[in-house]
PDB file of all heavy atoms in Angstrom:
ATOM      1  N   SER A 378     -28.101  13.684 -17.309  1.00 34.00           N
ATOM      2  CA  SER A 378     -27.382  14.878 -16.887  1.00 34.00           C
ATOM      3  C   SER A 378     -27.214  15.880 -18.010  1.00 34.00           C
ATOM      4  O   SER A 378     -26.950  17.057 -17.774  1.00 34.00           O
ATOM      5  CB  SER A 378     -26.010  14.489 -16.331  1.00 34.00           C
ATOM      6  OG  SER A 378     -25.256  13.815 -17.333  1.00 34.00           O
ATOM      7  N   ASP A 379     -27.344  15.416 -19.255  1.00 39.00           N
ATOM      8  CA  ASP A 379     -27.198  16.338 -20.381  1.00 39.00           C
ATOM      9  C   ASP A 379     -28.235  17.446 -20.332  1.00 39.00           C
ATOM     10  O   ASP A 379     -28.017  18.533 -20.842  1.00 39.00           O
ATOM     11  CB  ASP A 379     -27.319  15.570 -21.700  1.00 39.00           C
ATOM     12  CG  ASP A 379     -26.121  14.655 -21.920  1.00 39.00           C
ATOM     13  OD1 ASP A 379     -25.110  14.871 -21.231  1.00 39.00           O
ATOM     14  OD2 ASP A 379     -26.225  13.736 -22.756  1.00 39.00           O
ATOM     15  N   TRP A 380     -29.435  17.156 -19.785  1.00 37.00           N
ATOM     16  CA  TRP A 380     -30.486  18.171 -19.791  1.00 37.00           C
ATOM     17  C   TRP A 380     -30.108  19.366 -18.915  1.00 37.00           C
ATOM     18  O   TRP A 380     -30.667  20.435 -19.052  1.00 37.00           O
ATOM     19  CB  TRP A 380     -31.798  17.583 -19.276  1.00 37.00           C
ATOM     20  CG  TRP A 380     -32.165  16.269 -19.855  1.00 37.00           C
ATOM     21  CD1 TRP A 380     -32.699  15.236 -19.197  1.00 37.00           C
ATOM     22  CD2 TRP A 380     -32.036  15.845 -21.210  1.00 37.00           C
ATOM     23  NE1 TRP A 380     -32.909  14.175 -20.029  1.00 37.00           N
ATOM     24  CE2 TRP A 380     -32.514  14.524 -21.270  1.00 37.00           C
ATOM     25  CE3 TRP A 380     -31.548  16.425 -22.373  1.00 37.00           C
ATOM     26  CZ2 TRP A 380     -32.525  13.777 -22.443  1.00 37.00           C
ATOM     27  CZ3 TRP A 380     -31.549  15.693 -23.546  1.00 37.00           C
ATOM     28  CH2 TRP A 380     -32.032  14.403 -23.588  1.00 37.00           C
ATOM     29  N   ASN A 381     -29.169  19.183 -17.984  1.00 37.00           N
ATOM     30  CA  ASN A 381     -28.800  20.256 -17.072  1.00 37.00           C
ATOM     31  C   ASN A 381     -27.547  20.986 -17.514  1.00 37.00           C
ATOM     32  O   ASN A 381     -27.083  21.884 -16.828  1.00 37.00           O
ATOM     33  CB  ASN A 381     -28.569  19.691 -15.663  1.00 37.00           C
ATOM     34  CG  ASN A 381     -29.816  19.032 -15.110  1.00 37.00           C
ATOM     35  OD1 ASN A 381     -30.916  19.525 -15.343  1.00 37.00           O
ATOM     36  ND2 ASN A 381     -29.643  17.937 -14.368  1.00 37.00           N
ATOM     37  N   GLN A 382     -26.967  20.589 -18.651  1.00 39.00           N
ATOM     38  CA  GLN A 382     -25.773  21.265 -19.128  1.00 39.00           C
ATOM     39  C   GLN A 382     -26.174  22.568 -19.798  1.00 39.00           C
ATOM     40  O   GLN A 382     -26.994  22.593 -20.692  1.00 39.00           O
ATOM     41  CB  GLN A 382     -25.029  20.369 -20.130  1.00 39.00           C
ATOM     42  CG  GLN A 382     -24.472  19.091 -19.492  1.00 39.00           C
ATOM     43  CD  GLN A 382     -23.852  18.188 -20.524  1.00 39.00           C
ATOM     44  OE1 GLN A 382     -23.908  18.480 -21.702  1.00 39.00           O
ATOM     45  NE2 GLN A 382     -23.235  17.113 -20.079  1.00 39.00           N
ATOM     46  N   ASP A 383     -25.575  23.642 -19.371  1.00 43.00           N
ATOM     47  CA  ASP A 383     -25.894  24.957 -19.923  1.00 43.00           C
ATOM     48  C   ASP A 383     -24.711  25.538 -20.680  1.00 43.00           C
ATOM     49  O   ASP A 383     -24.580  26.744 -20.835  1.00 43.00           O
ATOM     50  CB  ASP A 383     -26.293  25.927 -18.802  1.00 43.00           C
ATOM     51  CG  ASP A 383     -27.612  25.533 -18.166  1.00 43.00           C
ATOM     52  OD1 ASP A 383     -28.457  24.992 -18.913  1.00 43.00           O
ATOM     53  OD2 ASP A 383     -27.795  25.748 -16.954  1.00 43.00           O
ATOM     54  N   ASP A 384     -23.812  24.661 -21.183  1.00 41.00           N
ATOM     55  CA  ASP A 384     -22.627  25.155 -21.864  1.00 41.00           C
ATOM     56  C   ASP A 384     -22.955  25.827 -23.177  1.00 41.00           C
ATOM     57  O   ASP A 384     -22.182  26.625 -23.679  1.00 41.00           O
ATOM     58  CB  ASP A 384     -21.624  24.014 -22.098  1.00 41.00           C
ATOM     59  CG  ASP A 384     -22.264  22.842 -22.840  1.00 41.00           C
ATOM     60  OD1 ASP A 384     -23.506  22.800 -22.869  1.00 41.00           O
ATOM     61  OD2 ASP A 384     -21.520  22.002 -23.387  1.00 41.00           O
ATOM     62  N   HIS A 385     -24.125  25.526 -23.767  1.00 41.00           N
ATOM     63  CA  HIS A 385     -24.454  26.156 -25.042  1.00 41.00           C
ATOM     64  C   HIS A 385     -25.843  26.768 -24.994  1.00 41.00           C
ATOM     65  O   HIS A 385     -26.474  26.972 -26.003  1.00 41.00           O
ATOM     66  CB  HIS A 385     -24.362  25.128 -26.168  1.00 41.00           C
ATOM     67  CG  HIS A 385     -25.293  23.974 -25.984  1.00 41.00           C
ATOM     68  ND1 HIS A 385     -25.010  22.945 -25.146  1.00 41.00           N
ATOM     69  CD2 HIS A 385     -26.509  23.688 -26.546  1.00 41.00           C
ATOM     70  CE1 HIS A 385     -25.983  22.046 -25.190  1.00 41.00           C
ATOM     71  NE2 HIS A 385     -26.909  22.486 -26.032  1.00 41.00           N
ATOM     72  N   ALA A 386     -26.336  27.082 -23.827  1.00 42.00           N
ATOM     73  CA  ALA A 386     -27.645  27.718 -23.701  1.00 42.00           C
ATOM     74  C   ALA A 386     -27.461  29.194 -23.426  1.00 42.00           C
ATOM     75  O   ALA A 386     -26.522  29.618 -22.774  1.00 42.00           O
ATOM     76  CB  ALA A 386     -28.441  27.077 -22.568  1.00 42.00           C
ATOM     77  N   SER A 387     -28.374  29.967 -23.928  1.00 41.00           N
ATOM     78  CA  SER A 387     -28.325  31.403 -23.701  1.00 41.00           C
ATOM     79  C   SER A 387     -28.697  31.697 -22.259  1.00 41.00           C
ATOM     80  O   SER A 387     -29.682  31.185 -21.740  1.00 41.00           O
ATOM     81  CB  SER A 387     -29.310  32.107 -24.646  1.00 41.00           C
ATOM     82  OG  SER A 387     -29.402  33.465 -24.289  1.00 41.00           O
ATOM     83  N   PRO A 388     -27.922  32.509 -21.559  1.00 37.00           N
ATOM     84  CA  PRO A 388     -28.266  32.812 -20.166  1.00 37.00           C
ATOM     85  C   PRO A 388     -29.581  33.548 -20.036  1.00 37.00           C
ATOM     86  O   PRO A 388     -30.182  33.564 -18.973  1.00 37.00           O
ATOM     87  CB  PRO A 388     -27.081  33.673 -19.696  1.00 37.00           C
ATOM     88  CG  PRO A 388     -26.474  34.191 -20.950  1.00 37.00           C
ATOM     89  CD  PRO A 388     -26.699  33.178 -22.001  1.00 37.00           C
ATOM     90  N   SER A 389     -30.010  34.186 -21.126  1.00 43.00           N
ATOM     91  CA  SER A 389     -31.277  34.921 -21.058  1.00 43.00           C
ATOM     92  C   SER A 389     -32.489  34.014 -21.172  1.00 43.00           C
ATOM     93  O   SER A 389     -33.595  34.426 -20.893  1.00 43.00           O
ATOM     94  CB  SER A 389     -31.330  35.964 -22.180  1.00 43.00           C
ATOM     95  OG  SER A 389     -31.333  35.302 -23.433  1.00 43.00           O
ATOM     96  N   CYS A 390     -32.259  32.766 -21.610  1.00 48.00           N
ATOM     97  CA  CYS A 390     -33.375  31.839 -21.817  1.00 48.00           C
ATOM     98  C   CYS A 390     -33.567  31.036 -20.542  1.00 48.00           C
ATOM     99  O   CYS A 390     -33.094  29.919 -20.400  1.00 48.00           O
ATOM    100  CB  CYS A 390     -33.100  30.920 -23.000  1.00 48.00           C
ATOM    101  SG  CYS A 390     -34.533  29.952 -23.508  1.00 48.00           S
ATOM    102  N   ASN A 391     -34.187  31.648 -19.560  1.00 43.00           N
ATOM    103  CA  ASN A 391     -34.317  31.046 -18.242  1.00 43.00           C
ATOM    104  C   ASN A 391     -35.324  29.923 -18.255  1.00 43.00           C
ATOM    105  O   ASN A 391     -36.299  29.949 -18.984  1.00 43.00           O
ATOM    106  CB  ASN A 391     -34.752  32.113 -17.225  1.00 43.00           C
ATOM    107  CG  ASN A 391     -33.747  33.240 -17.116  1.00 43.00           C
ATOM    108  OD1 ASN A 391     -32.547  32.992 -17.158  1.00 43.00           O
ATOM    109  ND2 ASN A 391     -34.229  34.469 -17.000  1.00 43.00           N
ATOM    110  N   ASP A 392     -35.087  28.933 -17.400  1.00 45.00           N
ATOM    111  CA  ASP A 392     -35.999  27.792 -17.303  1.00 45.00           C
ATOM    112  C   ASP A 392     -37.213  28.189 -16.485  1.00 45.00           C
ATOM    113  O   ASP A 392     -37.114  28.700 -15.389  1.00 45.00           O
ATOM    114  CB  ASP A 392     -35.266  26.625 -16.639  1.00 45.00           C
ATOM    115  CG  ASP A 392     -36.099  25.358 -16.664  1.00 45.00           C
ATOM    116  OD1 ASP A 392     -37.097  25.354 -17.403  1.00 45.00           O
ATOM    117  OD2 ASP A 392     -35.749  24.403 -15.961  1.00 45.00           O
ATOM    118  N   LEU A 393     -38.369  27.983 -17.062  1.00 44.00           N
ATOM    119  CA  LEU A 393     -39.632  28.307 -16.391  1.00 44.00           C
ATOM    120  C   LEU A 393     -40.594  27.180 -16.658  1.00 44.00           C
ATOM    121  O   LEU A 393     -41.046  26.984 -17.771  1.00 44.00           O
ATOM    122  CB  LEU A 393     -40.200  29.629 -16.924  1.00 44.00           C
ATOM    123  CG  LEU A 393     -41.554  30.066 -16.325  1.00 44.00           C
ATOM    124  CD1 LEU A 393     -41.404  30.337 -14.844  1.00 44.00           C
ATOM    125  CD2 LEU A 393     -42.084  31.274 -17.065  1.00 44.00           C
ATOM    126  N   SER A 394     -40.864  26.402 -15.674  1.00 42.00           N
ATOM    127  CA  SER A 394     -41.708  25.227 -15.903  1.00 42.00           C
ATOM    128  C   SER A 394     -43.155  25.599 -16.105  1.00 42.00           C
ATOM    129  O   SER A 394     -43.898  24.903 -16.770  1.00 42.00           O
ATOM    130  CB  SER A 394     -41.604  24.267 -14.707  1.00 42.00           C
ATOM    131  OG  SER A 394     -42.172  24.849 -13.555  1.00 42.00           O
ATOM    132  N   GLY A 395     -43.616  26.672 -15.532  1.00 43.00           N
ATOM    133  CA  GLY A 395     -45.018  27.045 -15.691  1.00 43.00           C
ATOM    134  C   GLY A 395     -45.925  26.323 -14.735  1.00 43.00           C
ATOM    135  O   GLY A 395     -47.095  26.648 -14.625  1.00 43.00           O
ATOM    136  N   LYS A 396     -45.422  25.350 -14.005  1.00 44.00           N
ATOM    137  CA  LYS A 396     -46.235  24.603 -13.058  1.00 44.00           C
ATOM    138  C   LYS A 396     -45.845  24.923 -11.618  1.00 44.00           C
ATOM    139  O   LYS A 396     -46.257  24.250 -10.690  1.00 44.00           O
ATOM    140  CB  LYS A 396     -46.088  23.095 -13.306  1.00 44.00           C
ATOM    141  CG  LYS A 396     -46.630  22.649 -14.654  1.00 44.00           C
ATOM    142  CD  LYS A 396     -48.124  22.812 -14.719  1.00 44.00           C
ATOM    143  CE  LYS A 396     -48.673  22.374 -16.053  1.00 44.00           C
ATOM    144  NZ  LYS A 396     -50.121  22.554 -16.179  1.00 44.00           N
TER     145      LYS A 396
END
Side-chain angles (χ1 to χ4, degrees):
S378 60
D379 291 343
W380 313 140
N381 299 322
Q382 295 175 356
D383 292 327
D384 55 343
H385 60 280
S387 171
S389 64
C390 190
N391 300 321
D392 187 13
L393 178 64
S394 67
K396 295 293 180 182

